[in-house]
mmCIF file of all heavy atoms in Angstrom:
data_model
loop_
_atom_site.group_PDB
_atom_site.id
_atom_site.type_symbol
_atom_site.label_atom_id
_atom_site.label_comp_id
_atom_site.label_asym_id
_atom_site.label_seq_id
_atom_site.Cartn_x
_atom_site.Cartn_y
_atom_site.Cartn_z
ATOM 1 N N LEU H 769 3.308 5.602 52.302
ATOM 2 C CA LEU H 769 3.131 4.658 53.406
ATOM 3 C C LEU H 769 4.409 3.854 53.665
ATOM 4 O O LEU H 769 4.836 3.690 54.809
ATOM 5 C CB LEU H 769 1.960 3.727 53.106
ATOM 6 C CG LEU H 769 1.606 2.702 54.159
ATOM 7 C CD1 LEU H 769 1.159 3.388 55.442
ATOM 8 C CD2 LEU H 769 0.525 1.779 53.653
ATOM 9 N N VAL H 770 5.046 3.386 52.606
ATOM 10 C CA VAL H 770 6.272 2.590 52.757
ATOM 11 C C VAL H 770 7.388 3.426 53.380
ATOM 12 O O VAL H 770 8.058 2.980 54.317
ATOM 13 C CB VAL H 770 6.705 2.013 51.388
ATOM 14 C CG1 VAL H 770 8.090 1.400 51.460
ATOM 15 C CG2 VAL H 770 5.690 0.998 50.897
ATOM 16 N N LEU H 771 7.585 4.639 52.881
ATOM 17 C CA LEU H 771 8.642 5.490 53.426
ATOM 18 C C LEU H 771 8.374 5.872 54.879
ATOM 19 O O LEU H 771 9.299 5.884 55.704
ATOM 20 C CB LEU H 771 8.808 6.746 52.573
ATOM 21 C CG LEU H 771 9.449 6.524 51.207
ATOM 22 C CD1 LEU H 771 9.432 7.813 50.398
ATOM 23 C CD2 LEU H 771 10.867 6.011 51.355
ATOM 24 N N ALA H 772 7.138 6.174 55.204
ATOM 25 C CA ALA H 772 6.805 6.520 56.589
ATOM 26 C C ALA H 772 7.061 5.340 57.525
ATOM 27 O O ALA H 772 7.599 5.523 58.624
ATOM 28 C CB ALA H 772 5.355 6.980 56.681
ATOM 29 N N LEU H 773 6.705 4.139 57.095
ATOM 30 C CA LEU H 773 6.962 2.954 57.914
ATOM 31 C C LEU H 773 8.459 2.706 58.092
ATOM 32 O O LEU H 773 8.917 2.390 59.195
ATOM 33 C CB LEU H 773 6.289 1.734 57.309
ATOM 34 C CG LEU H 773 4.776 1.658 57.458
ATOM 35 C CD1 LEU H 773 4.218 0.492 56.652
ATOM 36 C CD2 LEU H 773 4.391 1.531 58.916
ATOM 37 N N LEU H 774 9.221 2.859 57.020
ATOM 38 C CA LEU H 774 10.672 2.656 57.114
ATOM 39 C C LEU H 774 11.326 3.665 58.053
ATOM 40 O O LEU H 774 12.131 3.300 58.908
ATOM 41 C CB LEU H 774 11.313 2.732 55.732
ATOM 42 C CG LEU H 774 11.104 1.525 54.829
ATOM 43 C CD1 LEU H 774 11.684 1.783 53.453
ATOM 44 C CD2 LEU H 774 11.730 0.287 55.447
ATOM 45 N N PHE H 775 10.978 4.944 57.885
ATOM 46 C CA PHE H 775 11.547 5.960 58.759
ATOM 47 C C PHE H 775 11.114 5.734 60.204
ATOM 48 O O PHE H 775 11.911 5.883 61.123
ATOM 49 C CB PHE H 775 11.135 7.370 58.316
ATOM 50 C CG PHE H 775 12.012 7.930 57.248
ATOM 51 C CD1 PHE H 775 11.511 8.165 55.990
ATOM 52 C CD2 PHE H 775 13.332 8.230 57.507
ATOM 53 C CE1 PHE H 775 12.311 8.691 54.999
ATOM 54 C CE2 PHE H 775 14.147 8.763 56.523
ATOM 55 C CZ PHE H 775 13.639 8.990 55.267
ATOM 56 N N GLY H 776 9.868 5.392 60.398
ATOM 57 C CA GLY H 776 9.374 5.148 61.748
ATOM 58 C C GLY H 776 10.088 3.992 62.422
ATOM 59 O O GLY H 776 10.493 4.087 63.578
ATOM 60 N N MET H 777 10.249 2.888 61.695
ATOM 61 C CA MET H 777 10.939 1.724 62.277
ATOM 62 C C MET H 777 12.412 2.023 62.547
ATOM 63 O O MET H 777 12.939 1.669 63.600
ATOM 64 C CB MET H 777 10.794 0.520 61.349
ATOM 65 C CG MET H 777 9.412 -0.085 61.353
ATOM 66 S SD MET H 777 9.262 -1.638 60.461
ATOM 67 C CE MET H 777 9.828 -1.218 58.833
ATOM 68 N N ASP H 778 13.090 2.657 61.600
ATOM 69 C CA ASP H 778 14.503 2.975 61.794
ATOM 70 C C ASP H 778 14.696 3.917 62.973
ATOM 71 O O ASP H 778 15.580 3.712 63.809
ATOM 72 C CB ASP H 778 15.098 3.590 60.537
ATOM 73 C CG ASP H 778 15.273 2.584 59.422
ATOM 74 O OD1 ASP H 778 15.235 1.375 59.711
ATOM 75 O OD2 ASP H 778 15.434 3.008 58.267
ATOM 76 N N PHE H 779 13.873 4.953 63.025
ATOM 77 C CA PHE H 779 14.001 5.913 64.116
ATOM 78 C C PHE H 779 13.714 5.247 65.457
ATOM 79 O O PHE H 779 14.411 5.483 66.445
ATOM 80 C CB PHE H 779 13.044 7.092 63.880
ATOM 81 C CG PHE H 779 13.252 8.219 64.828
ATOM 82 C CD1 PHE H 779 14.367 9.033 64.723
ATOM 83 C CD2 PHE H 779 12.334 8.462 65.831
ATOM 84 C CE1 PHE H 779 14.569 10.076 65.604
ATOM 85 C CE2 PHE H 779 12.529 9.504 66.721
ATOM 86 C CZ PHE H 779 13.640 10.313 66.605
ATOM 87 N N PHE H 780 12.724 4.378 65.498
ATOM 88 C CA PHE H 780 12.385 3.668 66.738
ATOM 89 C C PHE H 780 13.529 2.764 67.176
ATOM 90 O O PHE H 780 13.873 2.702 68.355
ATOM 91 C CB PHE H 780 11.102 2.861 66.545
ATOM 92 C CG PHE H 780 10.690 2.094 67.748
ATOM 93 C CD1 PHE H 780 10.168 2.733 68.859
ATOM 94 C CD2 PHE H 780 10.841 0.713 67.786
ATOM 95 C CE1 PHE H 780 9.800 2.025 69.982
ATOM 96 C CE2 PHE H 780 10.473 -0.009 68.903
ATOM 97 C CZ PHE H 780 9.946 0.650 70.005
ATOM 98 N N VAL H 781 14.140 2.077 66.234
ATOM 99 C CA VAL H 781 15.249 1.170 66.566
ATOM 100 C C VAL H 781 16.432 1.960 67.114
ATOM 101 O O VAL H 781 17.024 1.583 68.133
ATOM 102 C CB VAL H 781 15.672 0.339 65.331
ATOM 103 C CG1 VAL H 781 17.019 -0.319 65.537
ATOM 104 C CG2 VAL H 781 14.614 -0.686 65.005
ATOM 105 N N PHE H 782 16.786 3.068 66.463
ATOM 106 C CA PHE H 782 17.950 3.824 66.915
ATOM 107 C C PHE H 782 17.691 4.558 68.220
ATOM 108 O O PHE H 782 18.600 4.759 69.020
ATOM 109 C CB PHE H 782 18.411 4.812 65.842
ATOM 110 C CG PHE H 782 19.214 4.152 64.759
ATOM 111 C CD1 PHE H 782 18.700 4.023 63.486
ATOM 112 C CD2 PHE H 782 20.468 3.659 65.021
ATOM 113 C CE1 PHE H 782 19.424 3.402 62.492
ATOM 114 C CE2 PHE H 782 21.206 3.037 64.035
ATOM 115 C CZ PHE H 782 20.679 2.912 62.763
ATOM 116 N N GLU H 783 16.482 4.987 68.465
ATOM 117 C CA GLU H 783 16.182 5.703 69.705
ATOM 118 C C GLU H 783 16.013 4.764 70.891
ATOM 119 O O GLU H 783 16.315 5.120 72.015
ATOM 120 C CB GLU H 783 14.920 6.548 69.540
ATOM 121 C CG GLU H 783 15.150 7.838 68.808
ATOM 122 C CD GLU H 783 16.128 8.747 69.536
ATOM 123 O OE1 GLU H 783 15.981 8.970 70.743
ATOM 124 O OE2 GLU H 783 17.053 9.237 68.867
ATOM 125 N N SER H 784 15.476 3.575 70.655
ATOM 126 C CA SER H 784 15.183 2.690 71.775
ATOM 127 C C SER H 784 16.338 1.751 72.129
ATOM 128 O O SER H 784 16.293 1.108 73.168
ATOM 129 C CB SER H 784 13.935 1.863 71.466
ATOM 130 O OG SER H 784 14.192 0.992 70.390
ATOM 131 N N SER H 785 17.322 1.673 71.292
ATOM 132 C CA SER H 785 18.423 0.734 71.544
ATOM 133 C C SER H 785 19.509 1.407 72.364
ATOM 134 O O SER H 785 20.073 2.415 71.963
ATOM 135 C CB SER H 785 19.008 0.252 70.228
ATOM 136 O OG SER H 785 18.029 -0.452 69.506
ATOM 137 N N SER H 786 19.796 0.806 73.487
ATOM 138 C CA SER H 786 20.845 1.347 74.347
ATOM 139 C C SER H 786 22.207 0.718 74.053
ATOM 140 O O SER H 786 23.216 1.175 74.560
ATOM 141 C CB SER H 786 20.484 1.129 75.811
ATOM 142 O OG SER H 786 20.352 -0.249 76.057
ATOM 143 N N PHE H 787 22.221 -0.306 73.225
ATOM 144 C CA PHE H 787 23.495 -0.983 72.951
ATOM 145 C C PHE H 787 24.255 -0.369 71.774
ATOM 146 O O PHE H 787 25.339 -0.818 71.443
ATOM 147 C CB PHE H 787 23.286 -2.484 72.712
ATOM 148 C CG PHE H 787 22.333 -2.817 71.608
ATOM 149 C CD1 PHE H 787 22.774 -2.946 70.299
ATOM 150 C CD2 PHE H 787 20.991 -3.019 71.879
ATOM 151 C CE1 PHE H 787 21.902 -3.271 69.288
ATOM 152 C CE2 PHE H 787 20.106 -3.337 70.858
ATOM 153 C CZ PHE H 787 20.560 -3.458 69.568
ATOM 154 N N PHE H 788 23.704 0.655 71.133
ATOM 155 C CA PHE H 788 24.429 1.339 70.071
ATOM 156 C C PHE H 788 25.418 2.319 70.688
ATOM 157 O O PHE H 788 25.134 2.953 71.700
ATOM 158 C CB PHE H 788 23.476 2.112 69.152
ATOM 159 C CG PHE H 788 22.719 1.232 68.203
ATOM 160 C CD1 PHE H 788 21.343 1.177 68.246
ATOM 161 C CD2 PHE H 788 23.372 0.472 67.258
ATOM 162 C CE1 PHE H 788 20.631 0.372 67.372
ATOM 163 C CE2 PHE H 788 22.682 -0.337 66.375
ATOM 164 C CZ PHE H 788 21.312 -0.384 66.435
ATOM 165 N N PRO H 789 26.587 2.463 70.070
ATOM 166 C CA PRO H 789 27.549 3.452 70.582
ATOM 167 C C PRO H 789 26.989 4.877 70.471
ATOM 168 O O PRO H 789 26.096 5.143 69.682
ATOM 169 C CB PRO H 789 28.764 3.288 69.669
ATOM 170 C CG PRO H 789 28.557 2.052 68.903
ATOM 171 C CD PRO H 789 27.109 1.704 68.956
ATOM 172 N N GLU H 790 27.561 5.751 71.253
ATOM 173 C CA GLU H 790 27.092 7.140 71.301
ATOM 174 C C GLU H 790 27.230 7.841 69.946
ATOM 175 O O GLU H 790 26.388 8.630 69.571
ATOM 176 C CB GLU H 790 27.904 7.890 72.367
ATOM 177 C CG GLU H 790 27.415 9.273 72.659
ATOM 178 C CD GLU H 790 26.147 9.281 73.470
ATOM 179 O OE1 GLU H 790 25.875 8.313 74.184
ATOM 180 O OE2 GLU H 790 25.426 10.277 73.365
ATOM 181 N N TRP H 791 28.295 7.535 69.225
ATOM 182 C CA TRP H 791 28.536 8.225 67.965
ATOM 183 C C TRP H 791 27.516 7.846 66.892
ATOM 184 O O TRP H 791 27.379 8.543 65.888
ATOM 185 C CB TRP H 791 29.959 7.959 67.466
ATOM 186 C CG TRP H 791 30.257 6.513 67.208
ATOM 187 C CD1 TRP H 791 30.743 5.617 68.100
ATOM 188 C CD2 TRP H 791 30.093 5.814 65.980
ATOM 189 N NE1 TRP H 791 30.893 4.390 67.517
ATOM 190 C CE2 TRP H 791 30.501 4.477 66.200
ATOM 191 C CE3 TRP H 791 29.646 6.166 64.716
ATOM 192 C CZ2 TRP H 791 30.464 3.518 65.218
ATOM 193 C CZ3 TRP H 791 29.616 5.211 63.729
ATOM 194 C CH2 TRP H 791 30.018 3.903 63.982
ATOM 195 N N LEU H 792 26.778 6.754 67.069
ATOM 196 C CA LEU H 792 25.758 6.375 66.096
ATOM 197 C C LEU H 792 24.478 7.210 66.222
ATOM 198 O O LEU H 792 23.561 7.049 65.435
ATOM 199 C CB LEU H 792 25.416 4.892 66.235
ATOM 200 C CG LEU H 792 26.236 3.944 65.379
ATOM 201 C CD1 LEU H 792 25.821 2.509 65.623
ATOM 202 C CD2 LEU H 792 26.161 4.274 63.926
ATOM 203 N N SER H 793 24.449 8.102 67.199
ATOM 204 C CA SER H 793 23.277 8.973 67.322
ATOM 205 C C SER H 793 23.154 9.912 66.128
ATOM 206 O O SER H 793 22.088 10.449 65.875
ATOM 207 C CB SER H 793 23.334 9.760 68.621
ATOM 208 O OG SER H 793 24.429 10.642 68.609
ATOM 209 N N ILE H 794 24.244 10.089 65.395
ATOM 210 C CA ILE H 794 24.189 10.923 64.183
ATOM 211 C C ILE H 794 23.220 10.317 63.165
ATOM 212 O O ILE H 794 22.560 11.036 62.422
ATOM 213 C CB ILE H 794 25.600 11.117 63.582
ATOM 214 C CG1 ILE H 794 25.607 12.195 62.512
ATOM 215 C CG2 ILE H 794 26.122 9.869 62.974
ATOM 216 C CD1 ILE H 794 25.901 13.528 63.043
ATOM 217 N N ILE H 795 23.124 9.001 63.145
ATOM 218 C CA ILE H 795 22.186 8.344 62.232
ATOM 219 C C ILE H 795 20.752 8.662 62.638
ATOM 220 O O ILE H 795 19.898 8.925 61.791
ATOM 221 C CB ILE H 795 22.449 6.825 62.192
ATOM 222 C CG1 ILE H 795 23.809 6.552 61.567
ATOM 223 C CG2 ILE H 795 21.345 6.107 61.423
ATOM 224 C CD1 ILE H 795 24.241 5.116 61.585
ATOM 225 N N SER H 796 20.505 8.676 63.918
ATOM 226 C CA SER H 796 19.176 9.008 64.416
ATOM 227 C C SER H 796 18.796 10.448 64.051
ATOM 228 O O SER H 796 17.675 10.717 63.632
ATOM 229 C CB SER H 796 19.120 8.808 65.927
ATOM 230 O OG SER H 796 17.868 9.163 66.414
ATOM 231 N N ILE H 797 19.744 11.348 64.192
ATOM 232 C CA ILE H 797 19.504 12.750 63.834
ATOM 233 C C ILE H 797 19.286 12.876 62.332
ATOM 234 O O ILE H 797 18.396 13.597 61.879
ATOM 235 C CB ILE H 797 20.673 13.631 64.315
ATOM 236 C CG1 ILE H 797 20.708 13.648 65.835
ATOM 237 C CG2 ILE H 797 20.562 15.042 63.762
ATOM 238 C CD1 ILE H 797 21.951 14.252 66.425
ATOM 239 N N SER H 798 20.080 12.150 61.547
ATOM 240 C CA SER H 798 19.911 12.176 60.087
ATOM 241 C C SER H 798 18.548 11.651 59.684
ATOM 242 O O SER H 798 17.893 12.209 58.792
ATOM 243 C CB SER H 798 20.990 11.339 59.415
ATOM 244 O OG SER H 798 22.263 11.808 59.737
ATOM 245 N N LEU H 799 18.100 10.588 60.325
ATOM 246 C CA LEU H 799 16.773 10.046 60.031
ATOM 247 C C LEU H 799 15.672 11.038 60.395
ATOM 248 O O LEU H 799 14.677 11.162 59.674
ATOM 249 C CB LEU H 799 16.555 8.726 60.758
ATOM 250 C CG LEU H 799 17.296 7.522 60.200
ATOM 251 C CD1 LEU H 799 17.122 6.324 61.117
ATOM 252 C CD2 LEU H 799 16.805 7.197 58.801
ATOM 253 N N ALA H 800 15.851 11.745 61.490
ATOM 254 C CA ALA H 800 14.851 12.745 61.880
ATOM 255 C C ALA H 800 14.787 13.870 60.860
ATOM 256 O O ALA H 800 13.693 14.315 60.483
ATOM 257 C CB ALA H 800 15.180 13.294 63.272
ATOM 258 N N ILE H 801 15.921 14.322 60.367
ATOM 259 C CA ILE H 801 15.949 15.382 59.353
ATOM 260 C C ILE H 801 15.319 14.890 58.053
ATOM 261 O O ILE H 801 14.519 15.601 57.428
ATOM 262 C CB ILE H 801 17.393 15.885 59.136
ATOM 263 C CG1 ILE H 801 17.866 16.634 60.374
ATOM 264 C CG2 ILE H 801 17.489 16.766 57.891
ATOM 265 C CD1 ILE H 801 19.339 16.969 60.378
ATOM 266 N N LEU H 802 15.663 13.676 57.642
ATOM 267 C CA LEU H 802 15.063 13.117 56.431
ATOM 268 C C LEU H 802 13.552 12.939 56.583
ATOM 269 O O LEU H 802 12.789 13.151 55.637
ATOM 270 C CB LEU H 802 15.721 11.790 56.074
ATOM 271 C CG LEU H 802 17.109 11.888 55.467
ATOM 272 C CD1 LEU H 802 17.709 10.501 55.288
ATOM 273 C CD2 LEU H 802 17.074 12.624 54.152
ATOM 274 N N PHE H 803 13.113 12.574 57.775
ATOM 275 C CA PHE H 803 11.677 12.428 58.015
ATOM 276 C C PHE H 803 10.961 13.774 57.917
ATOM 277 O O PHE H 803 9.871 13.869 57.354
ATOM 278 C CB PHE H 803 11.432 11.793 59.385
ATOM 279 C CG PHE H 803 9.980 11.576 59.662
ATOM 280 C CD1 PHE H 803 9.280 10.571 59.017
ATOM 281 C CD2 PHE H 803 9.304 12.394 60.558
ATOM 282 C CE1 PHE H 803 7.930 10.368 59.259
ATOM 283 C CE2 PHE H 803 7.967 12.198 60.809
ATOM 284 C CZ PHE H 803 7.272 11.185 60.160
ATOM 285 N N ILE H 804 11.585 14.821 58.429
ATOM 286 C CA ILE H 804 10.998 16.160 58.318
ATOM 287 C C ILE H 804 10.914 16.580 56.854
ATOM 288 O O ILE H 804 9.890 17.117 56.404
ATOM 289 C CB ILE H 804 11.807 17.176 59.151
ATOM 290 C CG1 ILE H 804 11.596 16.891 60.637
ATOM 291 C CG2 ILE H 804 11.424 18.609 58.817
ATOM 292 C CD1 ILE H 804 12.526 17.651 61.549
ATOM 293 N N LEU H 805 11.967 16.329 56.089
ATOM 294 C CA LEU H 805 11.941 16.654 54.656
ATOM 295 C C LEU H 805 10.885 15.835 53.917
ATOM 296 O O LEU H 805 10.186 16.354 53.037
ATOM 297 C CB LEU H 805 13.318 16.446 54.037
ATOM 298 C CG LEU H 805 14.385 17.452 54.443
ATOM 299 C CD1 LEU H 805 15.732 17.061 53.859
ATOM 300 C CD2 LEU H 805 13.997 18.849 54.016
ATOM 301 N N LEU H 806 10.751 14.559 54.273
ATOM 302 C CA LEU H 806 9.723 13.717 53.659
ATOM 303 C C LEU H 806 8.326 14.238 53.991
ATOM 304 O O LEU H 806 7.440 14.243 53.137
ATOM 305 C CB LEU H 806 9.873 12.269 54.111
ATOM 306 C CG LEU H 806 8.770 11.323 53.631
ATOM 307 C CD1 LEU H 806 8.869 11.107 52.131
ATOM 308 C CD2 LEU H 806 8.822 10.017 54.378
ATOM 309 N N THR H 807 8.146 14.684 55.230
ATOM 310 C CA THR H 807 6.846 15.231 55.622
ATOM 311 C C THR H 807 6.516 16.480 54.818
ATOM 312 O O THR H 807 5.400 16.628 54.316
ATOM 313 C CB THR H 807 6.838 15.541 57.132
ATOM 314 O OG1 THR H 807 7.161 14.349 57.848
ATOM 315 C CG2 THR H 807 5.496 16.056 57.576
ATOM 316 N N LEU H 808 7.481 17.378 54.675
ATOM 317 C CA LEU H 808 7.262 18.579 53.862
ATOM 318 C C LEU H 808 7.002 18.214 52.404
ATOM 319 O O LEU H 808 6.113 18.781 51.762
ATOM 320 C CB LEU H 808 8.475 19.508 53.944
ATOM 321 C CG LEU H 808 8.471 20.529 55.055
ATOM 322 C CD1 LEU H 808 9.777 21.295 55.055
ATOM 323 C CD2 LEU H 808 7.304 21.458 54.955
ATOM 324 N N LEU H 809 7.776 17.282 51.883
ATOM 325 C CA LEU H 809 7.590 16.844 50.503
ATOM 326 C C LEU H 809 6.201 16.252 50.301
ATOM 327 O O LEU H 809 5.534 16.512 49.291
ATOM 328 C CB LEU H 809 8.666 15.828 50.119
ATOM 329 C CG LEU H 809 8.638 15.308 48.688
ATOM 330 C CD1 LEU H 809 8.948 16.435 47.711
ATOM 331 C CD2 LEU H 809 9.621 14.178 48.526
ATOM 332 N N THR H 810 5.733 15.474 51.269
ATOM 333 C CA THR H 810 4.407 14.873 51.177
ATOM 334 C C THR H 810 3.321 15.938 51.230
ATOM 335 O O THR H 810 2.348 15.873 50.472
ATOM 336 C CB THR H 810 4.210 13.850 52.308
ATOM 337 O OG1 THR H 810 5.249 12.873 52.224
ATOM 338 C CG2 THR H 810 2.878 13.166 52.205
ATOM 339 N N LEU H 811 3.476 16.920 52.108
ATOM 340 C CA LEU H 811 2.504 18.016 52.158
ATOM 341 C C LEU H 811 2.467 18.769 50.833
ATOM 342 O O LEU H 811 1.398 19.116 50.327
ATOM 343 C CB LEU H 811 2.840 18.968 53.302
ATOM 344 C CG LEU H 811 2.469 18.503 54.695
ATOM 345 C CD1 LEU H 811 3.050 19.444 55.737
ATOM 346 C CD2 LEU H 811 0.965 18.410 54.847
ATOM 347 N N TYR H 812 3.650 19.034 50.281
ATOM 348 C CA TYR H 812 3.703 19.699 48.978
ATOM 349 C C TYR H 812 3.067 18.832 47.896
ATOM 350 O O TYR H 812 2.388 19.331 47.014
ATOM 351 C CB TYR H 812 5.145 20.021 48.596
ATOM 352 C CG TYR H 812 5.701 21.270 49.225
ATOM 353 C CD1 TYR H 812 5.113 21.859 50.335
ATOM 354 C CD2 TYR H 812 6.840 21.873 48.714
ATOM 355 C CE1 TYR H 812 5.638 23.001 50.901
ATOM 356 C CE2 TYR H 812 7.367 23.018 49.270
ATOM 357 C CZ TYR H 812 6.760 23.573 50.362
ATOM 358 O OH TYR H 812 7.266 24.704 50.921
ATOM 359 N N PHE H 813 3.311 17.525 47.965
ATOM 360 C CA PHE H 813 2.752 16.617 46.963
ATOM 361 C C PHE H 813 1.220 16.660 46.968
ATOM 362 O O PHE H 813 0.594 16.720 45.915
ATOM 363 C CB PHE H 813 3.238 15.190 47.216
ATOM 364 C CG PHE H 813 2.537 14.156 46.387
ATOM 365 C CD1 PHE H 813 2.822 14.022 45.040
ATOM 366 C CD2 PHE H 813 1.562 13.347 46.942
ATOM 367 C CE1 PHE H 813 2.164 13.077 44.266
ATOM 368 C CE2 PHE H 813 0.900 12.404 46.184
ATOM 369 C CZ PHE H 813 1.197 12.273 44.846
ATOM 370 N N PHE H 814 0.633 16.623 48.162
ATOM 371 C CA PHE H 814 -0.829 16.670 48.227
ATOM 372 C C PHE H 814 -1.368 17.986 47.684
ATOM 373 O O PHE H 814 -2.396 18.018 47.012
ATOM 374 C CB PHE H 814 -1.317 16.426 49.650
ATOM 375 C CG PHE H 814 -1.163 15.007 50.099
ATOM 376 C CD1 PHE H 814 -0.672 14.721 51.350
ATOM 377 C CD2 PHE H 814 -1.499 13.954 49.265
ATOM 378 C CE1 PHE H 814 -0.531 13.410 51.779
ATOM 379 C CE2 PHE H 814 -1.353 12.631 49.668
ATOM 380 C CZ PHE H 814 -0.871 12.370 50.930
ATOM 381 N N SER H 815 -0.664 19.078 47.955
ATOM 382 C CA SER H 815 -1.101 20.375 47.435
ATOM 383 C C SER H 815 -0.935 20.451 45.924
ATOM 384 O O SER H 815 -1.806 20.966 45.220
ATOM 385 C CB SER H 815 -0.318 21.499 48.107
ATOM 386 O OG SER H 815 -0.573 21.504 49.484
ATOM 387 N N VAL H 816 0.181 19.941 45.423
ATOM 388 C CA VAL H 816 0.400 19.925 43.966
ATOM 389 C C VAL H 816 -0.637 19.031 43.293
ATOM 390 O O VAL H 816 -1.132 19.351 42.212
ATOM 391 C CB VAL H 816 1.841 19.463 43.638
ATOM 392 C CG1 VAL H 816 2.007 19.108 42.177
ATOM 393 C CG2 VAL H 816 2.835 20.538 44.034
#
């Protein structure tokens, strides 16, 4: 729950903010990749 909330808030802040420079979009992409890995890890955790 804590990790999902953190990723959700960070991703929302980086996607909705227009005052960030263009090159900071790499952080948004990194957060999306980490969120996908966390989702897979969580699915594996429930199965394990």
Side-chain angles (χ1 to χ4, degrees):
L769 181 63
V770 170
L771 288 174
L773 286 172
L774 285 175
F775 275 114
M777 287 188 303
D778 288 343
F779 189 72
F780 179 72
V781 165
F782 281 111
E783 281 299 311
S784 66
S785 297
S786 60
F787 57 88
F788 284 119
E790 188 74 24
W791 61 271
L792 269 179
S793 65
I794 192 91
I795 294 175
S796 178
I797 294 169
S798 301
L799 286 173
I801 291 170
L802 285 174
F803 182 73
I804 290 169
L805 289 175
L806 175 69
T807 303
L808 271 176
L809 182 66
T810 303
L811 283 171
Y812 279 18
F813 170 74
F814 288 136
S815 298
V816 166

